[in-house]
Amino acid sequence: MRSVNKVIIVGNLTRDPEMRQTPNSQNVTTFGIATNREWVTRDSERKSSAEFHECVAWAKLAEICANYLKKGNLVYVEGYLK
């Protein structure tokens, strides 16, 4: 049986992306995304919670993320969990 490891996150950047290079000159960009969840309890009380996700982009995608993304931007990220 095959397995699937896929995730889609839509949220706001918590900080500006940080790009660096590995010793092999490969670009790596890291950034954080916050997602929010809201629900209503049985007692009609509104609740909410925030989740924080750390993301990593490599190579050309790392350069694109570093150049175009800024803190507070709404972003759509698709990838896999590690």
Side-chain angles (χ1 to χ4, degrees), residues 1-38:
M1 177 182 221
R2 302 196 94 186
S3 61
V4 176
N5 182 358
K6 184 174 183 176
V7 64
I8 296 171
I9 299 172
V10 178
N12 294 88
L13 291 181
T14 59
R15 64 181 188 279
D16 287 335
E18 300 171 10
M19 188 167 81
R20 57 185 166 74
Q21 285 190 332
T22 66
N24 297 336
S25 299
Q26 176 106 7
N27 290 326
V28 180
T29 298
T30 57
F31 53 94
I33 299 177
T35 55
N36 300 303
R37 185 168 72 98
E38 294 183 1

Side-chain angles (χ1 to χ4, degrees), residues 14-69:
T14 59
R15 64 181 188 279
D16 287 335
E18 300 171 10
M19 188 167 81
R20 57 185 166 74
Q21 285 190 332
T22 66
N24 297 336
S25 299
Q26 176 106 7
N27 290 326
V28 180
T29 298
T30 57
F31 53 94
I33 299 177
T35 55
N36 300 303
R37 185 168 72 98
E38 294 183 1
W39 68 96
V40 178
T41 65
R42 290 182 183 166
D43 302 328
S44 299
E45 184 181 352
R46 297 193 86 181
K47 298 272 188 172
S48 65
S49 69
E51 297 288 335
F52 299 93
H53 314 275
E54 292 296 316
C55 298
V56 179
W58 292 85
K60 184 66 176 173
L61 183 58
E63 292 176 40
I64 293 168
C65 290
N67 289 333
Y68 292 101
L69 300 181

